[in-house]
Amino acid sequence: MLDERVTVHVQTGRNGYDVRVGAGGIDELTVLLPRLAPAHRYVVIADDRVASIHGEYLLGVLARTNRKVDLLTFPSGETYKSRETWSDLSDRMTSSGVGRDAAVLAFGGGVAGDLGGFVAATYMRGLPVVQVPTTLLAMIDSSVGGKTGVDTPAGKNLIGAFLQPRLVVADTNLLRTLPAAELRAGLAEAIKHGAIADAAYFDWISDSVEAILACERAAVARLVARSVEIKADVVGKDETESGPRKMLNFGHTIGHAVESLSEFRLLHGEAIAIGMVLEARLGERLGVTEPGTTERLAEVFSRVGLPTELAEDLPHHGILEATRSDKKARQGKVEYSLIERIGRASPASGTWALPVEDALVLAALEVHPAR
Amino acid sequence: MLDERVTVHVQTGRNGYDVRVGAGGIDELTVLLPRLAPAHRYVVIADDRVASIHGEYLLGVLARTNRKVDLLTFPSGETYKSRETWSDLSDRMTSSGVGRDAAVLAFGGGVAGDLGGFVAATYMRGLPVVQVPTTLLAMIDSSVGGKTGVDTPAGKNLIGAFLQPRLVVADTNLLRTLPAAELRAGLAEAIKHGAIADAAYFDWISDSVEAILACERAAVARLVARSVEIKADVVGKDETESGPRKMLNFGHTIGHAVESLSEFRLLHGEAIAIGMVLEARLGERLGVTEPGTTERLAEVFSRVGLPTELAEDLPHHGILEATRSDKKARQGKVEYSLIERIGRASPASGTWALPVEDALVLAALEVHPAR
């Protein structure tokens, strides 16, 4: 059904960029970089784990551009998506003489993409960035749309900038070395894409969980391409998240709070799987979401092997408080981007996000065994 | 010749913004803010010195918008234009619950403008910013054009972002409380505007030094308005400094190095006055700049009371090295944006900046007593 490699175009403002999806895409960088992100020097930013697995291969490809190439690494893990790491990477670039004629390649999962993107966005007031995601989550979500940033002690992504990449290369070959847990977690975002925008895609994922988790080439290519299309479509309509883009936040208000309270023991995808189930439940109670939607979501997450309820040992009382520090809080009220049914986000009268009273959120949280 | 208040429009991409120049402009914020930077909350960022002189007045004006207003201050001085101050301001905003529905007012000189602008550019991936400059330098230079950022130990403005303000209000009444040294230093940039783009303006400044330094209303209004026009014109042609905008860097390659080596004992305007004289001398030696230009620049700077030569105690040998960490270094060669004559920048074959050999720069530096 799909060719080996697919290009999805993301339209943003006057410009746009391509996302190349398919097996072996990294090899194309030799040709694509000089054309789409010409520079005299390329700085690859990756965590040490990705660098040790794929660094040598990428550097070999980049060597063929005949440009100076630097590989800057940072320790693996969400806790390093910080201002300190950002500061350190920037200083290492300054001291090795990286100038404005350089471009950054953010190579890795969501952390490398957000962090590398933010380094690029702020180094000498902005270098071009190319996103080369290595995880499913990064391929279908964080690498597309131009969000970059770091966490602070007060919350996730509180500091950042919008910087649309010049190019995204999603080489699905890289998924074969991805830990199974990360593949599962990435699927949560793909399921979200189906849930907010494409019921047929939701059903297809539901039917193809095994093929996807087995990394079957065609299944994975179709998954990444369709998710990128959905994300590109939404982002193209609303580059800086003033309206419809908010639909991508389905599951994320509670999801971010859960992720943060778990102190990042939960993967992002695991946290937002829980978030989607709870927000669907909230939506059903509010009369926004079609009855039965929560069940369908929980069912597919279970099949993937993702959690659907809050863990017993999580401080539930802290969740409401954690949602408040979220960027989605507005005028003191926390906002939720809900769905009407599988395949359709709730426009919420054009705002694409609904402020919800605390009491209702608490009720949705407390359906499982009380404590 | 000029009305009391003048509006200069700055065109950037699809959008643009107004710079309101004139006495009493701050009072207009009550009307202009809700229209041009609507927000539910305004965060004023100012250094403690400006806050103590003008803070109360500004807060009184802002109170009439019926919005929540916060005043966040930081210690006065260029050394506080740092990632640490930026981080601290951002954290204070987070902890007081500032959300995405807020806007920032950067209130003060260049440091407050750059720092406040960078906080705005990166807080939750970007809040709108309004620039309310209080120094001559900030009114005619840093508040217009969207450059924001902080210094790092390796150099000035190495970290930053482009964020065009929604509005700039240059209230020339504020200049009356400005220390004389800062007024003189600000004039250096105005003279630069004449030198790169408008010989008649250069001559007018030269003839009006006394009236300007005495803060005569008409003279100051004309000065600010014409300089903003020139800057707006250049910036409008080249928002992100890929070409003609570089002409604004005349005097700045050496100027930044001198400023940095002086450990900021020299004001920015003082340093770039020296930079312009030395770069004019360099230009004359290269055959780019009309003979006699250096003299004319030195003459007007002397009349203003600005330095025109390197101080004896400055480590001259360090200047070349300091220029290298400048953002204007490209492929290892340091670039200079020179002028052909008073009133005309050198296009340098369309690049607006010329890479110059070290030996020639050294020769230009060493005309004064050798050591």
Side-chain angles (χ1 to χ4, degrees):
Chain A
M1 164 152 191
L2 281 173
D3 284 345
E4 277 297 278
R5 295 194 191 149
V6 184
T7 300
V8 181
H9 186 73
V10 185
Q11 192 58 44
T12 53
R14 288 165 301 177
N15 304 309
Y17 53 94
D18 286 342
V19 183
R20 292 284 289 163
V21 178
I26 279 188
D27 297 317
E28 292 184 325
L29 283 170
T30 318
V31 178
L32 294 178
L33 276 186
R35 211 172 71 209
L36 299 172
H40 287 96
R41 187 167 176 176
Y42 293 105
V43 179
V44 178
I45 294 182
D47 73 26
D48 48 15
R49 208 176 61 80
V50 166
S52 75
I53 304 174
H54 302 295
E56 201 175 334
Y57 188 79
L58 179 65
L59 292 183
V61 170
L62 295 182
R64 295 201 294 272
T65 63
N66 292 318
R67 299 298 185 204
K68 190 164 165 49
V69 177
D70 306 77
L71 172 61
L72 297 185
T73 65
F74 60 93
S76 171
E78 176 88 23
T79 50
Y80 292 96
K81 195 178 127 182
S82 64
R83 286 176 292 202
E84 291 69 30
T85 312
W86 161 80
S87 198
D88 177 56
L89 289 166
S90 306
D91 287 345
R92 281 152 70 192
M93 286 165 67
T94 315
S95 62
S96 66
V98 173
R100 281 199 278 202
D101 53 355
V104 169
L105 273 81
F107 185 48
V111 172
D114 285 6
L115 181 61
F118 190 52
V119 169
T122 55
Y123 190 77
M124 296 188 173
R125 297 199 194 92
L127 300 181
V129 69
V130 172
Q131 294 282 352
V132 188
T134 61
T135 66
L136 179 57
L137 178 61
M139 287 182 192
I140 67 174
D141 186 28
S142 51
S143 68
V144 177
K147 284 189 178 181
T148 75
V150 294
D151 305 333
T152 79
K156 275 188 60 123
N157 299 318
L158 288 178
I159 299 293
F162 282 96
L163 176 66
Q164 300 299 335
R166 298 292 175 92
L167 166 72
V168 181
V169 172
D171 185 339
T172 48
N173 276 348
L174 300 176
L175 298 178
R176 290 202 230 123
T177 53
L178 194 67
E182 288 199 38
L183 199 60
R184 291 176 201 281
L187 253 183
E189 289 284 0
I191 291 164
K192 182 195 77 181
H193 291 141
I196 61 173
D198 185 347
Y201 179 51
F202 183 92
D203 291 339
W204 174 80
I205 296 177
S206 189
D207 294 341
S208 314
V209 167
E210 281 176 32
I212 294 165
L213 292 180
C215 258
E216 284 180 18
R217 203 163 173 140
V220 165
R222 178 169 176 178
L223 181 83
V224 175
R226 182 62 193 136
S227 268
V228 168
E229 274 172 8
I230 292 172
K231 172 123 194 205
D233 187 46
V234 175
V235 167
K237 285 181 189 140
D238 176 15
E239 194 176 340
T240 55
E241 200 171 65
S242 50
R245 185 169 179 163
K246 287 187 182 166
M247 72 171 76
L248 294 168
N249 291 333
F250 173 52
H252 279 60
T253 304
I254 292 177
H256 274 167
V258 168
E259 185 177 5
S260 157
L261 285 172
S262 83
E263 292 175 333
F264 300 107
R265 276 173 294 120
L266 283 178
L267 293 173
H268 177 71
E270 292 168 344
I272 67 138
I274 296 170
M276 282 188 266
V277 171
L278 295 178
E279 292 186 15
R281 186 176 292 150
L282 177 64
E284 289 191 34
R285 292 191 178 201
L286 291 168
V288 171
T289 306
E290 190 175 72
T293 304
T294 310
E295 294 292 314
R296 285 185 69 194
L297 282 165
E299 194 273 327
V300 65
F301 290 138
S302 301
R303 200 173 320 163
V304 174
L306 287 165
T308 59
E309 292 291 347
L310 295 170
E312 294 285 325
D313 61 346
L314 212 69
H316 296 197
H317 60 275
I319 289 181
L320 259 191
E321 201 181 318
T323 59
R324 250 184 268 289
S325 72
D326 198 90
K327 290 189 299 306
K328 290 176 276 298
R330 201 174 60 181
Q331 294 186 67
K333 260 194 178 174
V334 179
E335 293 193 328
Y336 291 80
S337 297
L338 303 173
I339 59 175
E340 290 186 351
R341 56 176 185 273
I342 296 297
R344 184 169 158 78
S346 163
S349 315
T351 62
W352 301 91
L354 198 69
V356 181
E357 297 293 343
D358 288 357
L360 290 163
V361 180
L362 273 178
L365 293 176
E366 282 172 2
V367 156
H368 50 83
R371 79 214 59 229
Chain B
M1 163 150 191
L2 281 173
D3 286 344
E4 276 297 277
R5 294 194 191 149
V6 184
T7 300
V8 181
H9 186 73
V10 184
Q11 193 59 43
T12 52
R14 286 164 302 176
N15 305 308
Y17 53 94
D18 285 343
V19 183
R20 292 283 291 162
V21 178
I26 280 188
D27 297 317
E28 293 184 325
L29 284 170
T30 317
V31 177
L32 294 178
L33 276 186
R35 212 172 70 209
L36 299 172
H40 287 96
R41 186 167 177 177
Y42 293 106
V43 178
V44 178
I45 294 182
D47 72 28
D48 47 16
R49 207 176 60 81
V50 166
S52 74
I53 304 175
H54 303 294
E56 202 175 332
Y57 188 78
L58 180 64
L59 292 183
V61 170
L62 296 182
R64 296 201 294 272
T65 62
N66 292 317
R67 298 300 185 203
K68 190 164 164 49
V69 177
D70 306 77
L71 172 61
L72 297 185
T73 65
F74 61 92
S76 171
E78 176 89 23
T79 49
Y80 292 96
K81 194 178 128 182
S82 64
R83 286 176 292 202
E84 290 70 29
T85 313
W86 162 80
S87 197
D88 178 56
L89 289 166
S90 307
D91 286 346
R92 281 151 70 193
M93 287 166 66
T94 315
S95 62
S96 66
V98 173
R100 279 199 279 202
D101 52 356
V104 169
L105 274 80
F107 185 48
V111 171
D114 285 7
L115 182 61
F118 190 53
V119 169
T122 54
Y123 190 77
M124 296 186 173
R125 298 198 194 94
L127 300 181
V129 71
V130 172
Q131 294 282 352
V132 188
T134 61
T135 66
L136 178 57
L137 179 60
M139 288 184 192
I140 68 175
D141 187 28
S142 50
S143 67
V144 178
K147 285 188 176 181
T148 76
V150 293
D151 306 332
T152 80
K156 274 187 62 122
N157 299 318
L158 288 178
I159 299 294
F162 282 96
L163 177 65
Q164 300 299 336
R166 296 292 175 94
L167 167 71
V168 181
V169 173
D171 185 338
T172 48
N173 276 348
L174 301 176
L175 298 178
R176 290 200 231 122
T177 52
L178 194 68
E182 288 199 39
L183 199 60
R184 292 175 201 281
L187 254 183
E189 290 282 359
I191 291 164
K192 183 196 77 182
H193 292 141
I196 61 173
D198 185 348
Y201 179 52
F202 182 93
D203 290 338
W204 174 80
I205 297 178
S206 189
D207 293 341
S208 314
V209 167
E210 282 175 31
I212 294 166
L213 292 181
C215 257
E216 284 179 19
R217 203 162 171 140
V220 166
R222 177 169 178 178
L223 181 84
V224 175
R226 182 62 192 134
S227 268
V228 169
E229 275 173 9
I230 291 172
K231 173 123 193 204
D233 187 47
V234 174
V235 167
K237 285 180 189 143
D238 176 17
E239 195 177 339
T240 55
E241 200 172 64
S242 51
R245 184 169 181 163
K246 288 187 184 167
M247 71 170 77
L248 294 167
N249 291 333
F250 172 53
H252 279 61
T253 304
I254 292 177
H256 273 167
V258 168
E259 186 177 4
S260 155
L261 286 173
S262 84
E263 292 173 335
F264 300 107
R265 276 173 293 121
L266 283 178
L267 293 173
H268 176 71
E270 293 169 343
I272 68 138
I274 295 171
M276 282 188 266
V277 171
L278 294 177
E279 292 186 15
R281 186 178 292 151
L282 177 64
E284 289 192 33
R285 292 192 179 202
L286 291 168
V288 170
T289 306
E290 191 175 69
T293 304
T294 310
E295 294 293 314
R296 286 184 68 193
L297 282 164
E299 193 272 328
V300 65
F301 290 138
S302 301
R303 201 173 318 164
V304 173
L306 287 165
T308 59
E309 292 291 348
L310 295 170
E312 292 286 324
D313 62 345
L314 212 70
H316 296 198
H317 60 275
I319 290 181
L320 259 190
E321 203 180 318
T323 58
R324 249 183 269 287
S325 72
D326 197 271
K327 290 187 299 306
K328 291 176 275 300
R330 202 175 59 182
Q331 293 186 67
K333 259 194 180 175
V334 179
E335 293 193 328
Y336 291 80
S337 296
L338 303 172
I339 59 174
E340 289 186 351
R341 57 177 184 272
I342 296 297
R344 186 170 156 76
S346 164
S349 315
T351 63
W352 302 90
L354 197 67
V356 180
E357 296 292 343
D358 288 356
L360 290 163
V361 180
L362 272 178
L365 294 175
E366 284 172 1
V367 155
H368 52 81
R371 77 214 59 231

